[in-house]
Amino acid sequence: MKIRELLNEVSYYFQTWDGSRMTDEAAIQSLLDQEITQITNDSRKVVPGSLFFCIEGANSDGHDYAAGALEKGAA
C-alpha cells in the first residue's frame, strides 16, 4: 500500500525537521508514493518500508525516536 492510499480519507500535512510545514510539492508527492509494508509506533520494530508514527506518551515521546526510525528505513 502506498502512503497516499492510507491517507486518502484523512486531513494531513507534512512537516520538515525544523517544524515548518512542507511546501515542496515534488517532495510531498515522492513521500506519498512510498510503498509501506507495516505500520508501527515502536521504533525497535521498524524495518525498511515501515510507516513509523510518533505518540507522545506519559514516559517517553515517540518524536525522540523518529530519526532512528528513518535510519532503519522507515518510509
Side-chain angles (χ1 to χ4, degrees):
M1 170 180 286
K2 292 188 187 250
I3 293 175
R4 77 170 60 255
E5 296 167 30
L6 182 67
L7 297 176
N8 189 37
E9 299 293 326
V10 179
S11 177
Y12 64 89
Y13 66 92
F14 292 99
Q15 267 184 289
T16 62
W17 283 107
D18 68 5
S20 62
R21 193 175 192 141
M22 185 181 286
T23 57
D24 180 338
E25 196 58 37
I28 292 169
Q29 294 307 312
S30 177
L31 289 170
L32 290 170
D33 284 334
Q34 289 189 34
E35 195 74 31
I36 57 171
T37 56
Q38 72 173 8
I39 300 170
T40 185
N41 68 334
D42 185 339
S43 63
R44 298 168 295 187
K45 295 181 180 178
V46 168
V47 295
S50 299
L51 177 64
F52 176 72
F53 63 97
C54 306
I55 295 177
E56 190 174 330
N59 297 317
S60 64
D61 184 347
H63 295 86
D64 295 338
Y65 302 97
L70 284 173
E71 289 174 4
K72 289 179 161 183

